[in-house]
């Protein structure tokens, strides 16, 4: 054989399994792991279905139309005193208020971290701060908010007592503190949408003479709109399900109280409750003594969450169809 002759090509080793073939041809270990994955997924589906069905049966059994528009009354026996109109309105006010604060801040933070991120030491500090907030228990955030907003200079945000004492409790303060719980979810979902946008999309915009700000506003944010909607929905679910912050900072009053003279804002400056605190107070272990109403309120809260998830899915699908974008 000549020295310049090329040696015969070695045949690549055969794979143990064909990924496109039937799972029956897989090794036993792979089949066992596949079975465990299926079992875990089916178990989660079963648990979620049991929760929904249980609350559906219990909630529909005790839910009456008059509970939706009757205001609760201060009484030891809540089973015979009004409905939960005020907790429903309090839930809507807190969720919308927290989203109004968290959504612009979260989207702006995600855009800055993804598209700019300079100086790097500041970007690392911001990312660490978001991670710390995401891992902080809500009761700790509530105690922080109580200590912070009880300062004398912030008395206009809440009710005050005799001598100018600031209580640091109002629905507006609840919105501000609960927005911290929604912020990491919005930032994470928005960053995922921006990072998954192909690089050539940015380059095409720059090639047309668009600035970075114009590219972000007219190209990247519309593409990431489904992710932003998902982050906002997750944040709203987190806010709607919180109890500790509302109990400590919302005042815990059954009915919405006003504070101030500005229409609309006086409700945010006042105190109130939400469906979660209503369920907590009237649960079988609570002080309200109305477990039937607690089941009805819990079912209503679960229904709101399901409707929210459905709406987000519709928003995401509609945005993708309008943009002609498939990930």
């Amino acid at each position: 054989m000549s020295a310049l002759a090329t040696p015969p090509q070695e045949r690549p080793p055969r794979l143990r399994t064909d990924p496109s073939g039937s799972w029956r041809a897989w090794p036993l270990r792979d089949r066992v792991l596949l079975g465990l994955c299926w079992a875990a997924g089916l178990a989660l589906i079963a648990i979620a279905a049991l929760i929904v069905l249980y609350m559906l049966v219990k909630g529909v059994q005790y839910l009456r139309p008059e509970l939706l528009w009757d205001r609760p009354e201060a009484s030891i026996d809540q089973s015979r005193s009004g409905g939960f109109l005020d907790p429903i309105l309090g839930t809507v006010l807190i969720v919308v208020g927290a989203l109004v604060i968290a959504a612009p801040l979260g989207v702006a933070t995600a855009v800055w971290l993804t598209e700019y991120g300079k100086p790097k030491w500041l970007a690392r500090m911001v990312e660490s701060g978001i991670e710390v907030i995401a891992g902080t228990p809500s009761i700790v955030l509530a105690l922080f908010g109580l200590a912070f907003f009880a300062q004398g200079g912030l008395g206009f945000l809440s009710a005050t007592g005799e001598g100018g004492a600031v209580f640091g409790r109002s629905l507006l303060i609840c919105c501000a503190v609960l927005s911290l719980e929604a912020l990491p979810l919005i930032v994470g979902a928005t960053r995922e949408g921006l990072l998954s946008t192909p690089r050539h999309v940015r380059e095409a915009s720059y090639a047309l003479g668009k600035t970075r700000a114009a590219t972000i506003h007219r190209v990247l944010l519309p593409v990431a709109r489904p992710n932003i909607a998902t982050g906002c929905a997750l944040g709203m679910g987190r806010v709607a399900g919180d109890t500790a912050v509302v109990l400590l900072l919302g005042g815990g009053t059954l009915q919405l109280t006003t504070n101030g003279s500005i229409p609309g804002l006086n409700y945010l400056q006042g105190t109130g409750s939400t469906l979660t605190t209503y369920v907590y107070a009237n649960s079988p272990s609570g002080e309200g003594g109305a477990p039937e109403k607690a089941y009805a309120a819990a079912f209503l809260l679960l229904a709101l969450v399901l409707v929210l998830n459905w709406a987000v899915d519709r928003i995401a699908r509609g945005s993708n169809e309008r943009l002609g974008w498939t990930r």
Side-chain angles (χ1 to χ4, degrees), residues 76-132:
I76 297 178
D77 188 5
Q78 284 293 315
S79 61
R80 302 179 180 179
S81 58
F84 37 79
L85 174 63
D86 288 42
I88 295 175
L89 297 177
T91 301
V92 174
L93 286 175
I94 287 179
V95 169
V96 174
L99 186 65
V100 168
I101 298 174
L105 184 59
V107 173
T109 302
V111 169
W112 180 77
L113 289 174
T114 305
E115 302 301 321
Y116 296 93
K118 293 181 181 180
K120 292 184 178 181
W121 62 268
L122 181 59
R124 287 194 295 267
M125 290 183 61
V126 172
E127 290 178 346
S128 300
I130 294 173
E131 292 176 357
V132 169

Side-chain angles (χ1 to χ4, degrees), residues 96-307:
V96 174
L99 186 65
V100 168
I101 298 174
L105 184 59
V107 173
T109 302
V111 169
W112 180 77
L113 289 174
T114 305
E115 302 301 321
Y116 296 93
K118 293 181 181 180
K120 292 184 178 181
W121 62 268
L122 181 59
R124 287 194 295 267
M125 290 183 61
V126 172
E127 290 178 346
S128 300
I130 294 173
E131 292 176 357
V132 169
I133 294 176
T136 303
S138 60
I139 186 64
V140 177
L141 294 177
L143 293 175
F144 168 77
L146 187 62
F148 180 80
F149 288 101
Q151 304 299 320
L154 300 176
F156 65 95
L157 296 176
S158 64
T160 56
E162 297 182 359
V166 180
F167 296 148
R169 294 182 175 89
S170 70
L171 295 183
L172 185 59
I173 293 176
C174 279
C175 294
V177 175
L178 287 173
S179 65
L180 296 177
E181 296 188 2
L183 185 64
L185 299 172
I186 298 175
V187 173
T190 305
R191 290 192 70 185
E192 180 182 355
L194 294 174
L195 291 173
S196 61
T197 304
R199 184 177 182 84
H200 65 80
V201 175
R202 295 175 174 85
E203 294 175 350
S205 179
Y206 297 149
L208 294 174
K210 298 296 183 180
T211 62
R212 176 175 290 185
T215 301
I216 293 172
H217 175 64
R218 297 186 177 276
V219 178
L220 299 181
L221 288 181
V223 171
R225 190 179 304 163
N227 297 82
I228 297 174
T230 301
C232 291
L234 293 175
M236 291 171 66
R238 177 79 182 273
V239 171
D242 189 272
T243 305
V245 174
V246 181
L247 282 176
L248 288 182
L249 301 181
T253 57
L254 284 176
Q255 295 185 357
L256 295 176
T257 62
T258 59
N259 179 37
S261 58
I262 302 177
L265 184 60
N266 55 357
Y267 281 98
L268 289 176
Q269 291 177 309
T271 59
S273 60
T274 61
L275 286 172
T276 55
T277 56
Y278 187 87
V279 172
Y280 170 76
N282 292 282
S283 63
S285 60
E287 299 177 356
E292 296 85 3
K293 288 186 177 181
Y295 282 121
F299 167 73
L300 181 61
L301 181 61
L302 180 61
L304 290 176
V305 173
L306 293 178
V307 170

